[in-house]
Amino acid sequence: MSDPYHAIPLKSDSAKGATYISGVFTGGGANSDWRDAVYAFQGSIHRSNNFGNFQAYYGANLSLGCYHVKEYSRYDYYYPNDSLYNNVPASYNYFGMYGFNGGINTVIPFSNGGGEWRAIGIEASLQKEFGNYYNFRKNLPDSSADIIFRKNVTGTVGICTDIVTKSRRGIEFGYKAAFGFMLNPQSDYTHVYNPNELSPVAYFSQTLHLTRDNITGFIQFNFSNNYAGNMQFGISYMLGRNKK
């Protein structure tokens, strides 16, 4: 959720640098088999620049949302005659995050200003969580789950590629794919049975984006191992003059 799409002017545009404000809605699932529901809204501002054969963006964001914990009862399957030894009741927990995103990529323009290929890029984020979902997670008994993430600071880094076409009417359409990892060390997790079960946490995202004049809309699909998946809908608005 911390790495939604960030709009960048085409190298062929007159706007070599631009500032954007964005709103993103996220809906999805988390935990084993995506059993828990997650909903959030993120507001952000970022700056994008073109320089030579490279493009870059950097900005800040704030997210607010709800995490619905589905009731979970845990048995010791090695001793089936034993009684239930842990139960996590259903609950709704609010959460928030604030942090920074940034990225840089190489760019190969198409002929006649018809778009470009942002061939190889690096994206990164650093986020700090707050709210009662963090407190809920931090205070869970070790026996309540195989793996528990008890920290509230996360970092990610990934590689990406993005291809953008531009019609004669000036409408831009693009597809971006990204793959990356969380940077948190194993010590940030409580592992009950298998310490190597979640090492490392990886994510894969695919994004379709459309730009007309100063407005960019996108839909993004994110997947992280077997423990999270979501869909994002976002709109970015470029401040200042119209692109040419």
Side-chain angles (χ1 to χ4, degrees), residues 213-226:
D213 297 327
N214 285 28
I215 299 175
T216 298
F218 70 87
I219 179 172
Q220 181 169 308
F221 303 90
N222 303 302
F223 306 94
S224 178
N225 295 10
N226 295 322

Side-chain angles (χ1 to χ4, degrees), residues 49-242:
N49 294 100
N50 277 290
F51 50 98
N53 295 322
F54 296 90
Q55 297 170 324
Y57 70 86
Y58 47 91
N61 60 75
L62 173 66
S63 300
L64 298 173
C66 177
Y67 188 108
H68 177 206
V69 177
K70 187 176 180 181
E71 182 178 7
Y72 178 60
S73 299
R74 183 179 181 83
Y75 293 85
D76 190 337
Y77 294 105
Y78 292 99
Y79 303 95
N81 294 324
D82 287 355
S83 60
L84 173 72
Y85 74 88
N86 202 281
N87 175 264
V88 178
S91 63
Y92 287 90
N93 301 273
Y94 80 88
F95 67 89
M97 292 191 301
Y98 60 90
F100 302 92
N101 296 82
I104 188 169
N105 59 262
T106 61
V107 57
I108 303 173
F110 298 154
S111 61
N112 300 322
E116 63 193 30
W117 180 27
R118 298 162 183 173
I120 300 177
I122 299 174
E123 59 183 22
S125 72
L126 180 65
Q127 306 290 321
K128 185 169 184 178
E129 178 188 357
F130 60 91
N132 65 357
Y133 176 59
Y134 167 58
N135 294 324
F136 164 85
R137 198 174 65 243
K138 182 174 62 175
N139 295 315
L140 278 174
D142 286 351
S143 58
S144 62
D146 290 343
I147 299 170
I148 303 173
F149 182 66
R150 299 194 184 277
K151 301 297 183 178
N152 69 335
V153 175
T154 57
T156 65
V157 64
I159 59 174
C160 57
T161 187
D162 189 3
I163 187 166
V164 187
T165 61
K166 185 176 182 179
S167 71
R168 293 182 178 179
R169 295 183 177 182
I171 299 174
E172 302 167 20
F173 179 78
Y175 167 77
K176 176 187 173 185
F179 177 78
F181 300 91
M182 284 183 64
L183 299 176
N184 294 73
Q186 289 295 299
S187 59
D188 286 356
Y189 300 84
T190 297
H191 302 269
V192 178
Y193 292 111
N194 185 359
N196 298 316
E197 185 174 349
L198 197 61
S199 175
V201 179
Y203 71 86
F204 175 64
S205 70
Q206 298 185 82
T207 307
L208 298 174
H209 53 94
L210 180 71
T211 298
R212 182 168 185 174
D213 297 327
N214 285 28
I215 299 175
T216 298
F218 70 87
I219 179 172
Q220 181 169 308
F221 303 90
N222 303 302
F223 306 94
S224 178
N225 295 10
N226 295 322
Y227 295 95
N230 62 60
M231 182 182 297
Q232 295 183 324
F233 301 91
I235 295 178
S236 296
Y237 179 77
M238 188 180 78
L239 302 176
R241 61 180 182 175
N242 291 332

